[in-house]
Amino acid sequence: MSKFARKGKQPAGFEYLEQTLEVLENELRDKINEPHEGKRRTESIWPVHQINWQRSRYVYDMHYKYGKVDKKVLDYCVRNKIVDGSLIAKWKKAGYERLCSTYVINTRNYNFGTVSICRVPPQSLGDDQVVECPTTGCRGCA
Protein backbone atom coordinates (compact mmCIF):
# COMPACT_ATOMS: atom_id res chain seq x y z
CA MET A 1 0.00 0.00 0.00
CA SER A 2 1.39 3.39 -0.93
CA LYS A 3 1.83 6.30 1.45
CA PHE A 4 -0.92 8.22 -0.32
CA ALA A 5 -3.49 5.42 -0.04
CA ARG A 6 -3.41 5.73 3.74
CA LYS A 7 -4.90 9.22 3.55
CA GLY A 8 -8.39 8.09 2.63
CA LYS A 9 -10.11 6.87 -0.50
CA GLN A 10 -8.31 8.09 -3.58
CA PRO A 11 -10.39 9.53 -6.42
CA ALA A 12 -10.27 7.92 -9.84
CA GLY A 13 -7.31 9.23 -11.82
CA PHE A 14 -4.95 9.63 -8.87
CA GLU A 15 -3.01 6.55 -9.94
CA TYR A 16 -1.82 8.62 -12.93
CA LEU A 17 0.06 10.93 -10.49
CA GLU A 18 0.96 8.44 -7.80
CA GLN A 19 4.24 7.09 -9.18
CA THR A 20 5.76 10.53 -9.77
CA LEU A 21 4.58 11.80 -6.40
CA GLU A 22 6.13 8.75 -4.74
CA VAL A 23 9.48 9.42 -6.45
CA LEU A 24 9.40 13.06 -5.33
CA GLU A 25 8.50 11.99 -1.78
CA ASN A 26 11.48 9.62 -1.68
CA GLU A 27 13.75 12.33 -3.07
CA LEU A 28 12.52 14.73 -0.37
CA ARG A 29 13.22 12.15 2.32
CA ASP A 30 16.76 11.65 0.97
CA LYS A 31 17.43 15.40 0.88
CA ILE A 32 16.23 15.83 4.47
CA ASN A 33 18.44 12.98 5.71
CA GLU A 34 21.45 14.23 3.71
CA PRO A 35 24.20 15.74 5.90
CA HIS A 36 24.41 19.50 5.61
CA GLU A 37 27.74 20.32 7.20
CA GLY A 38 29.47 23.16 5.41
CA LYS A 39 26.22 24.72 4.21
CA ARG A 40 24.59 27.85 5.50
CA ARG A 41 21.59 27.28 7.76
CA THR A 42 19.14 28.39 5.07
CA GLU A 43 20.87 26.41 2.30
CA SER A 44 19.94 23.15 3.96
CA ILE A 45 16.20 23.76 3.37
CA TRP A 46 16.49 24.86 -0.27
CA PRO A 47 15.88 21.32 -1.58
CA VAL A 48 12.68 21.14 0.49
CA HIS A 49 11.34 24.29 -1.19
CA GLN A 50 12.41 23.04 -4.62
CA ILE A 51 10.81 19.60 -4.25
CA ASN A 52 7.63 21.15 -2.87
CA TRP A 53 7.53 23.37 -5.96
CA GLN A 54 8.13 20.40 -8.28
CA ARG A 55 5.39 18.35 -6.68
CA SER A 56 2.86 21.18 -6.75
CA ARG A 57 3.79 22.18 -10.30
CA TYR A 58 3.44 18.61 -11.55
CA VAL A 59 -0.11 18.27 -10.23
CA TYR A 60 -0.99 21.80 -11.43
CA ASP A 61 0.25 21.08 -14.96
CA MET A 62 -1.50 17.71 -15.12
CA HIS A 63 -4.80 19.40 -14.26
CA TYR A 64 -4.71 22.87 -15.85
CA LYS A 65 -2.22 22.53 -18.71
CA TYR A 66 -2.64 18.95 -19.94
CA GLY A 67 -6.06 18.02 -18.54
CA LYS A 68 -4.89 14.53 -17.54
CA VAL A 69 -6.49 14.63 -14.06
CA ASP A 70 -9.79 16.14 -12.98
CA LYS A 71 -10.73 18.60 -10.25
CA LYS A 72 -11.46 15.84 -7.72
CA VAL A 73 -7.86 14.64 -7.88
CA LEU A 74 -6.52 18.19 -7.47
CA ASP A 75 -8.83 18.80 -4.49
CA TYR A 76 -7.76 15.48 -2.95
CA CYS A 77 -4.09 16.48 -3.25
CA VAL A 78 -4.72 19.91 -1.69
CA ARG A 79 -6.93 18.54 1.08
CA ASN A 80 -4.35 15.90 2.06
CA LYS A 81 -1.47 18.41 1.79
CA ILE A 82 0.30 16.49 -0.93
CA VAL A 83 0.64 19.79 -2.82
CA ASP A 84 0.64 23.45 -1.74
CA GLY A 85 -2.88 24.75 -2.39
CA SER A 86 -2.05 28.42 -1.83
CA LEU A 87 0.85 28.22 -4.29
CA ILE A 88 -1.40 26.65 -6.93
CA ALA A 89 -3.98 29.39 -6.33
CA LYS A 90 -1.32 32.05 -6.94
CA TRP A 91 -0.14 30.38 -10.16
CA LYS A 92 -3.59 30.96 -11.64
CA LYS A 93 -3.20 34.75 -11.23
CA ALA A 94 -1.45 36.96 -13.76
CA GLY A 95 2.13 37.79 -12.81
CA TYR A 96 2.53 34.81 -10.50
CA GLU A 97 2.81 32.02 -13.09
CA ARG A 98 6.40 31.16 -12.10
CA LEU A 99 6.19 31.88 -8.36
CA CYS A 100 8.62 29.71 -6.39
CA SER A 101 6.99 29.91 -2.96
CA THR A 102 4.30 31.87 -1.15
CA TYR A 103 6.94 32.81 1.42
CA VAL A 104 8.69 35.17 -1.02
CA ILE A 105 5.62 37.35 -1.63
CA ASN A 106 4.66 37.78 2.02
CA THR A 107 5.79 41.31 2.94
CA ARG A 108 5.99 40.43 6.63
CA ASN A 109 8.95 38.14 5.94
CA TYR A 110 11.22 40.91 4.61
CA ASN A 111 12.51 44.27 5.79
CA PHE A 112 10.82 47.50 4.72
CA GLY A 113 7.60 45.74 3.64
CA THR A 114 9.07 44.45 0.36
CA VAL A 115 9.26 41.02 -1.25
CA SER A 116 12.17 38.70 -2.04
CA ILE A 117 14.88 39.59 -4.55
CA CYS A 118 13.81 36.67 -6.74
CA ARG A 119 10.56 38.55 -7.53
CA VAL A 120 12.46 41.46 -9.11
CA PRO A 121 12.64 41.20 -12.91
CA PRO A 122 16.22 40.55 -14.09
CA GLN A 123 16.21 43.53 -16.46
CA SER A 124 15.57 45.83 -13.48
CA LEU A 125 18.73 44.65 -11.73
CA GLY A 126 22.31 45.62 -12.42
CA ASP A 127 24.63 43.35 -14.40
CA ASP A 128 26.79 42.60 -11.38
CA GLN A 129 23.92 41.89 -9.00
CA VAL A 130 23.36 38.25 -7.99
CA VAL A 131 19.76 37.15 -7.82
CA GLU A 132 19.32 34.35 -5.33
CA CYS A 133 16.72 34.24 -2.60
CA PRO A 134 18.48 33.42 0.69
CA THR A 135 15.43 31.55 1.99
CA THR A 136 14.34 29.39 -0.96
CA GLY A 137 17.39 29.39 -3.24
CA CYS A 138 15.29 30.70 -6.13
CA ARG A 139 17.22 32.49 -8.87
CA GLY A 140 14.38 34.47 -10.32
CA CYS A 141 10.68 33.73 -10.51
CA ALA A 142 9.48 37.16 -11.69
Side-chain angles (χ1 to χ4, degrees):
M1 181 188 306
S2 77
K3 170 193 178 284
F4 304 112
R6 289 179 259 148
K7 293 190 174 200
K9 185 167 173 15
Q10 297 172 341
F14 183 77
E15 60 276 354
Y16 188 81
L17 304 174
E18 191 168 17
Q19 184 178 8
T20 304
L21 291 175
E22 193 70 40
V23 168
L24 288 170
E25 187 71 28
N26 291 336
E27 185 179 345
L28 179 64
R29 190 174 300 114
D30 293 343
K31 293 290 183 179
I32 289 172
N33 293 333
E34 188 176 276
H36 38 271
E37 289 84 23
K39 293 182 181 177
R40 293 180 292 182
R41 184 170 33 130
T42 57
E43 274 184 45
S44 61
I45 62 168
W46 288 358
V48 175
H49 282 284
Q50 292 167 352
I51 292 171
N52 180 49
W53 183 90
Q54 280 181 321
R55 195 171 36 190
S56 298
R57 193 67 196 198
Y58 175 69
V59 174
Y60 174 84
D61 285 344
M62 288 297 122
H63 177 67
Y64 289 105
K65 191 172 181 182
Y66 302 115
K68 300 279 185 186
V69 295
D70 60 356
K71 182 77 171 153
K72 291 179 184 176
V73 175
L74 179 65
D75 290 340
Y76 173 81
C77 291
V78 170
R79 189 174 53 252
N80 289 304
K81 298 184 179 173
I82 297 169
V83 298
D84 189 351
S86 58
L87 185 59
I88 289 176
K90 285 291 181 186
W91 283 337
K92 292 189 275 186
K93 296 181 179 179
Y96 294 99
E97 295 89 1
R98 294 181 49 208
L99 183 65
C100 62
S101 172
T102 53
Y103 184 88
V104 300
I105 59 170
N106 190 347
T107 57
R108 291 186 212 121
N109 297 332
Y110 296 96
N111 295 335
F112 310 112
T114 60
V115 294
S116 176
I117 188 70
C118 68
R119 292 299 299 158
V120 179
Q123 58 268 26
S124 299
L125 298 170
D127 293 334
D128 59 338
Q129 198 166 9
V130 176
V131 178
E132 186 172 73
C133 178
T135 309
T136 63
C138 177
R139 296 187 179 181
C141 62

